[in-house]
Amino acid sequence: MAATAFHQAFGTLRSRDCVTHSGLKHENGSASFKLISKSSKLDIALLNRGTYCSRKRSFSLVQASASQTTVSDPVSTPSNGKTTESKKKSSEAALILIRHGESMWNEKNLFTGCVDVPLTEKGVEEAIEAGKRISNIPIDMIYTSALIRAQMTAMLAMTEHRRKKVPIILHNESERAKSWSQIFSEETKKQCVPVVTAWQLNERMYGELQGLNKQETADRYGAEQVHEWRRSYDIPPPNGESLEMCAERAVAYFKEYIEPQLLSGKNVMIAAHGNSLRSIIMYLDKLTSQEVISLELSTGIPMLYISKEGRFIRRGSPVAPTEAGVYAYTKVMQTFLCH
């Protein structure tokens, strides 16, 4: 039971190595964990309670059940008899990052890049499961790339949201598009979540590798060369983008359009791609160019940040790299001061 609850609650990627971080221990094939502070001890049974709070600090927990996993929202939990909703709106906001579910070219082991490929059946299931994990987190704005696999992931995830708001794609490409898609009911608008699509959040463009089989490409050019194209920071594939080039556009867009929404107190979800999200995480976590190339994100696994007073605090995060230099993507509990 403990192992099942751990894996459902934390969305852990399978890893060959044990990972330890802040008192959290996870072992392949089975799971056990403990989180101990000087003032309190946390037990697995607390997973069903939402938020545990001592006099000094609270632990944001993941609620687990046999059918779904959701992250509780501690900023709306009353403390000391007072609600923190007004404080949240002025200084705190949630940022959810989701890499799209498995695409049809992921399944075929092809380089996809900016080719517009939809999800597989497994990808659809991953998107729905991602929605279950974040179903209790308020969402006021959604940003996706211009590619269908990211948009499908966002839409499918929202079908599981407990507030049942409808995601509405904003069409601003022309005055006619804006006027034709106008909503005239204020009550209906309150039940909608605006969705903004942006090419700047697209996967990095893989140039002449797009559509090629990854294994066949490695056989042709050599595994070392292909690894350099895929995982180096500043070396692009032939006529394609490097991670550095992808980061320039993705981070610039995040700073100009998304960060102001978070600073105003709006909760934002971004559904995008491995490299555009790695670029944004590099900015949020202040990673170096060497640290970011070791960062791996699994399809359909949400990552949660809290934006607070201009800072970004991870709630679900990469942890220490394994010997292979690959980050295991694990839900790690973060502690916050009680208000």
Side-chain angles (χ1 to χ4, degrees):
M1 291 293 292
T4 302
F6 180 94
H7 285 290
Q8 287 181 331
F10 294 104
T12 306
L13 288 182
R14 289 189 297 273
S15 172
R16 295 181 181 178
D17 303 285
C18 293
V19 177
T20 60
H21 184 71
S22 300
L24 179 69
K25 184 178 182 181
H26 167 221
E27 297 179 357
N28 189 37
S30 63
S32 63
F33 77 97
K34 62 181 179 178
L35 181 61
I36 299 174
S37 73
K38 293 180 180 178
S39 60
S40 56
K41 181 181 289 186
L42 180 65
D43 188 83
I44 186 69
L46 288 172
L47 283 173
N48 293 322
R49 295 186 186 174
T51 302
Y52 169 78
C53 191
S54 70
R55 288 183 179 179
K56 293 185 177 180
R57 58 181 65 202
S58 64
F59 294 93
S60 174
L61 303 184
V62 178
Q63 298 175 329
S65 68
S67 60
Q68 70 178 49
T69 309
T70 58
V71 182
S72 64
D73 181 18
V75 294
S76 61
T77 303
S79 176
N80 299 326
K82 298 179 181 179
T83 180
T84 60
E85 184 66 24
S86 60
K87 186 174 290 188
K88 177 192 78 70
K89 286 183 178 179
S90 62
S91 63
E92 295 186 358
L95 171 63
I96 303 166
L97 307 179
I98 305 179
R99 183 187 174 192
H100 64 81
E102 182 190 68
S103 76
M104 289 185 171
W105 276 15
N106 289 148
E107 183 182 47
K108 294 179 180 293
N109 199 32
L110 305 180
F111 285 102
T112 310
C114 288
V115 180
D116 210 356
V117 178
L119 300 179
T120 61
E121 183 177 351
K122 177 184 175 182
V124 169
E125 292 172 354
E126 288 177 332
I128 292 172
E129 180 61 26
K132 292 177 180 178
R133 293 173 187 267
I134 62 170
S135 62
N136 282 338
I137 304 175
I139 297 174
D140 303 309
M141 289 283 296
I142 298 173
Y143 290 85
T144 78
S145 76
L147 302 175
I148 191 64
R149 56 191 184 273
Q151 295 176 25
M152 288 178 70
T153 298
M155 299 302 174
L156 289 166
M158 286 303 293
T159 64
E160 302 299 320
H161 204 273
R162 66 181 177 86
R163 295 195 176 185
K164 301 303 180 185
K165 288 190 175 183
V166 178
I168 303 292
I169 295 180
L170 301 182
H171 291 284
N172 295 323
E173 62 270 21
S174 68
E175 286 303 317
R176 175 175 291 181
K178 284 192 242 181
S179 65
W180 282 18
S181 61
Q182 186 174 350
I183 300 171
F184 291 94
S185 167
E186 291 302 318
E187 186 60 31
T188 300
K189 287 180 182 178
K190 294 176 183 177
Q191 300 304 315
C192 297
V193 177
V195 181
V196 178
T197 62
W199 68 267
Q200 293 92 333
L201 299 176
N202 281 10
E203 179 58 283
R204 73 179 174 115
M205 201 271 284
Y206 267 99
E208 295 176 16
L209 300 187
Q210 291 184 168
L212 299 182
N213 181 277
K214 293 176 182 177
Q215 184 56 55
E216 292 175 359
T217 305
D219 294 341
R220 178 179 176 183
Y221 294 100
E224 185 176 342
Q225 175 63 76
V226 173
H227 181 77
E228 188 174 65
W229 285 334
R230 296 186 65 191
R231 287 296 175 260
S232 64
Y233 182 68
D234 55 1
I235 300 176
N239 293 316
E241 284 184 307
S242 64
L243 177 57
E244 182 180 32
M245 295 162 70
C246 177
E248 286 178 2
R249 57 173 165 84
V251 174
Y253 184 86
F254 180 87
K255 289 167 136 180
E256 183 174 359
Y257 295 101
I258 301 176
E259 196 164 8
Q261 299 287 352
L262 294 163
L263 293 175
S264 71
K266 289 187 178 180
N267 303 297
V268 175
M269 179 171 79
I270 304 176
H273 308 265
N275 284 296
S276 54
L277 291 178
R278 288 165 74 208
S279 301
I280 291 171
I281 292 169
M282 182 182 181
Y283 167 70
L284 298 177
D285 289 352
K286 298 179 172 56
L287 301 179
T288 67
S289 58
Q290 287 303 306
E291 289 171 331
V292 74
I293 62 176
S294 298
L295 178 63
E296 294 288 347
L297 301 179
S298 181
T299 54
I301 302 294
M303 171 178 267
L304 175 63
Y305 285 81
I306 292 297
S307 170
K308 185 174 182 178
E309 299 174 353
R311 297 182 298 113
F312 291 95
I313 305 168
R314 286 196 311 265
R315 289 258 216 89
S317 61
V319 295
T322 65
E323 292 180 359
V326 177
Y327 281 83
Y329 188 61
T330 304
K331 289 283 189 182
V332 178
M333 295 181 193
Q334 299 289 325
T335 58
F336 293 88
L337 295 177
C338 289
H339 296 293

